[in-house]
Amino acid sequence: MPVPVPQQRSVPAAETSHGDLTLLVIEDDPAGTTITVPELSAAAGTRVRIRTARNLTEAARLLTDDVDCILLDLALPLTGGGAGPGTPTADAGTSGTGTGTADSGSPPEPVSERAGELAALTHVLGIAPQHAVLALTAQDDTELAAEAVRVGAQDYLFRGELDARVLSRAIRYAVERKRADTAQHQLTESRLRAQENARLERGLLPTPLLDGSGLSFAARYRPGRSRALLGGDFYDVVRTPDGTVHAMIGDVCGHGPDEAALGVELRIAWRALTLAGLCGDELLSTLQQVLEHERQSEEIFATLCTVDIAPDGRRAGLCLAGHPAPLLARHGLPARLLPYQDGGPALGLLPRARWPRRQVELGGAWSLMMYTDGLIEGRVGTGGSERLGQDGMVAMVNSRLEQGLAGEELLEAAVAEVRELNGGELTDDVAVLLLGRDPERIRRWGGSAPRSHPASPVVARPLGAQRPPL
């Protein structure tokens, strides 16, 4: 009993979701394959549907997403037999790459000397890159069969040895191998995409511009998103030609990639506006305009803290836009929060808001720690029912100061202790930066500091030799 031609209809994928298989047989002589549907179903242990096509034109019409496997006779002629326009000729087949998958992303392989005999296979692989393909050939042509597998077929079968048991096993093997190949290809693409994203995110992290300032700098940055290098938190430090050092730290509400992108936009806009000479309320008003134009919804806002340190390093101007106040430690004195009563609202909340600039006396030797709320909103206490808060952070930093920690060691210990108190990784982004001034160190360097270096994505270690006097 020859292989019957079933009614030509597209079988919904749901019908084949319980182990059913659909086989598309492509050969010009359907009577040449004498395996019946009952035989094949019995051997496979599940229901098998068979469709037959006499040429590539019919095959393209019968090829639907529910087809699990294709059985192609390599002896199928490319012309005649009702092949319609668009069916490749033998000459056209020899010009293919031999890969069979146009979207594989791999470089073209050398054209085989027998490429003309594999033109039908190359065409099928081109129109069915997601389907498993079995090559059917004569028993005495093992070289052609092996070449078919190299080109892209999952397996080959000899016509003389074809029976229901062999065919059912080959179908199962071909389908699983194709799934494995597809999964491996997707995994490779995912890894490449992740590497590209990591390079992009690293390139978007700030490079502090502090040359000639005499100030030390350290930073820690830890995104809340898994496997990410950027979060909604952002910071930057630049020195303008007049000798003023400007520092900024901010936080976009939310934790996704859109918030991370908006944070990068705000950071770059802040640097450009600062280098252009804007400061205080004028700068924050312009930043709010940037936020309003770039955010995806009116509910998105951002908190911000800016500090501009005078060229002599002894005083600074402070502006708060809904952001926690920085922590200041003078030489030999406990750390304390800077005044925050005169702060303005977060950016994006009020259309005509104002942000007063408060003058702050820093002194001769000092360290200034700026941070985002991810550092103070971690859980503490039994059962994690309380937040660390600003008071808890101040106490924690002072305890570390009493241990003699300073600079990068201080930041590293602070972030580690917050994680420990939280009982695990923090869900919010965390950004912390530390600026310091030490007159003795400035004198040793002749009034300037070593060249600053960009911060790394997760653990920033710029200016490792320059420690604040904490």
Side-chain angles (χ1 to χ4, degrees):
M1 183 177 183
V3 175
V5 180
Q7 182 180 359
Q8 296 178 3
R9 68 180 183 90
S10 178
V11 182
E15 295 185 21
T16 62
S17 61
H18 300 290
D20 297 347
L21 294 173
T22 300
L23 175 68
L24 175 60
V25 180
I26 309 176
E27 60 174 344
D28 61 344
D29 182 17
T33 304
T34 58
I35 300 174
T36 65
V37 172
E39 291 175 344
L40 189 56
S41 297
T46 186
R47 183 171 57 172
V48 179
R49 299 180 179 88
I50 298 180
R51 304 177 187 175
T52 59
R54 294 175 179 270
N55 51 58
L56 298 177
T57 302
E58 290 185 10
R61 187 171 65 251
L62 296 175
L63 184 62
T64 54
D65 291 339
D66 59 293
V67 172
D68 297 286
C69 187
I70 300 172
L71 178 62
L72 172 66
D73 185 0
L74 295 183
L76 180 73
L78 297 180
T79 59
T87 301
T89 63
D91 292 338
T94 60
S95 63
T97 62
T99 61
T101 53
D103 60 344
S104 64
S106 58
E109 297 187 16
V111 178
S112 168
E113 296 179 359
R114 308 191 65 173
E117 301 176 71
L118 298 173
L121 174 62
T122 301
H123 179 78
V124 170
L125 292 172
I127 65 175
Q130 306 301 324
H131 292 76
V133 178
L134 290 171
L136 183 63
T137 185
Q139 188 168 1
D140 57 351
D141 204 345
T142 56
E143 182 180 345
L144 181 63
E147 185 71 9
V149 174
R150 190 194 70 81
V151 167
Q154 272 60 59
D155 203 351
Y156 62 85
L157 296 170
F158 293 130
R159 182 178 294 278
E161 298 178 354
L162 192 63
D163 59 28
R165 181 181 59 84
V166 172
L167 180 56
S168 65
R169 184 176 60 187
I171 293 172
R172 290 291 189 188
Y173 171 78
V175 170
E176 293 304 321
R177 181 179 175 184
K178 184 63 179 180
R179 288 175 180 170
D181 291 344
T182 301
Q184 181 62 38
H185 180 66
Q186 293 174 346
L187 178 61
T188 301
E189 286 187 337
S190 177
R191 288 174 176 172
L192 291 175
R193 191 177 301 111
Q195 293 173 2
E196 292 175 356
N197 291 341
R199 288 195 296 270
L200 176 62
E201 292 185 27
R202 277 194 294 267
L204 295 175
L205 289 168
T207 302
L209 303 179
L210 285 173
D211 293 346
S213 68
L215 302 183
S216 61
F217 171 84
R220 291 293 180 272
Y221 188 90
R222 191 178 298 274
R225 289 188 298 138
S226 175
R227 296 184 297 276
L229 298 178
L230 280 177
D233 291 2
F234 53 98
Y235 69 91
D236 205 352
V237 181
V238 297
R239 180 175 182 260
T240 48
D242 64 353
T244 303
V245 172
H246 303 262
M248 173 272 293
I249 194 166
D251 181 6
V252 177
C253 65
H255 310 289
D258 293 334
E259 289 76 12
L262 182 56
V264 171
E265 292 181 76
L266 292 176
R267 180 188 69 79
I268 296 175
W270 176 88
R271 174 174 285 203
L273 294 171
T274 300
L275 294 176
L278 274 69
C279 184
D281 180 77
E282 185 180 10
L283 186 149
L284 292 177
S285 298
T286 309
L287 272 183
Q288 174 159 281
Q289 296 180 38
V290 174
L291 172 65
E292 291 171 346
H293 287 294
E294 297 296 332
R295 63 185 177 183
Q296 292 188 336
S297 68
E298 294 183 356
E299 289 75 24
I300 300 297
F301 63 90
T303 65
L304 200 70
C305 171
T306 67
V307 174
D308 54 279
I309 303 171
D312 62 5
R314 302 186 65 87
R315 61 190 180 280
L318 170 67
C319 286
L320 295 176
H323 199 87
L327 190 66
L328 175 66
R330 293 190 177 96
H331 187 67
L333 298 175
R336 63 177 179 85
L337 293 173
L338 291 181
Y340 52 86
Q341 292 82 4
D342 296 335
L347 302 181
L349 293 183
L350 300 177
R352 289 177 295 275
R354 288 294 177 260
W355 295 271
R357 178 179 177 273
R358 173 186 285 265
Q359 190 76 13
V360 178
E361 293 297 327
L362 300 177
W366 50 265
S367 286
L368 184 69
M369 189 175 84
M370 305 170 67
Y371 54 92
T372 57
D373 58 5
L375 186 70
I376 59 177
E377 290 189 349
R379 300 288 182 175
V380 296
T382 305
S385 58
E386 300 178 1
R387 301 282 189 181
L388 176 63
Q390 288 181 290
D391 293 339
M393 180 198 65
V394 172
M396 176 188 66
V397 170
N398 281 323
S399 67
R400 296 296 180 178
L401 292 177
E402 293 175 359
Q403 298 174 7
L405 298 184
E408 295 181 8
E409 293 179 354
L410 175 65
L411 292 189
E412 187 71 22
V415 174
E417 184 172 351
V418 170
R419 290 175 58 200
E420 183 179 353
L421 293 173
N422 189 62
E425 287 292 345
L426 301 168
T427 57
D428 198 2
D429 306 325
V430 175
V432 191
L433 65 88
L434 190 64
L435 290 169
R437 183 178 187 271
D438 182 0
E440 290 296 329
R441 184 183 61 82
I442 295 175
R443 281 193 291 270
R444 289 196 303 269
W445 287 98
S448 64
R451 188 175 183 85
S452 60
H453 301 285
S456 62
V458 179
V459 180
R461 299 184 181 277
L463 298 178
Q466 302 179 37
R467 299 284 176 81
L470 286 179

